[in-house]
Amino acid sequence: MRKRLTITGSTLRNRENEFKTRLASEIREKVWPVLENGSFKPVIYRQFPLHEAARAHELMESSGHIGKIVLVNSWD
């Protein structure tokens, strides 16, 4: 079941300010504490420096991974 989990995002551009304000408040109250205390951790399969983005993309297309493929800032 975990392999088929999808997290989806969307923009709030067309929503009213009241909705956006309420949503931000609920995220701050319910989601942020879970992220801060470390109980939610994404599965990172591999990290690539930004200049190796093509290699990261090849890995992603191969579907030979479980977890996230992350590009990291190669200036650090």
Side-chain angles (χ1 to χ4, degrees):
M1 188 182 302
R2 286 174 146 181
K3 288 183 180 182
R4 292 193 168 97
L5 176 68
T6 302
I7 299 175
T8 306
S10 68
T11 64
L12 299 173
R13 188 177 333 193
N14 296 329
R15 298 293 193 137
E16 294 186 11
N17 285 337
E18 181 181 312
F19 175 83
K20 293 180 202 180
T21 302
R22 189 173 64 247
L23 181 62
S25 177
E26 288 180 19
I27 289 171
R28 197 174 307 114
E29 177 187 329
K30 297 176 182 174
V31 176
W32 218 251
V34 175
L35 297 175
E36 284 182 328
N37 72 22
S39 61
F40 175 84
K41 293 181 182 177
V43 175
I44 306 293
Y45 180 77
R46 185 156 175 208
Q47 294 183 3
F48 288 88
L50 191 55
H51 68 273
E52 293 185 23
R55 285 187 54 215
H57 201 273
E58 288 173 9
L59 175 59
M60 181 185 67
E61 287 180 333
S62 76
S63 297
H65 67 287
I66 296 175
K68 301 300 174 194
I69 300 168
V70 178
L71 294 174
V72 294
N73 184 344
S74 49
W75 299 322
D76 293 339

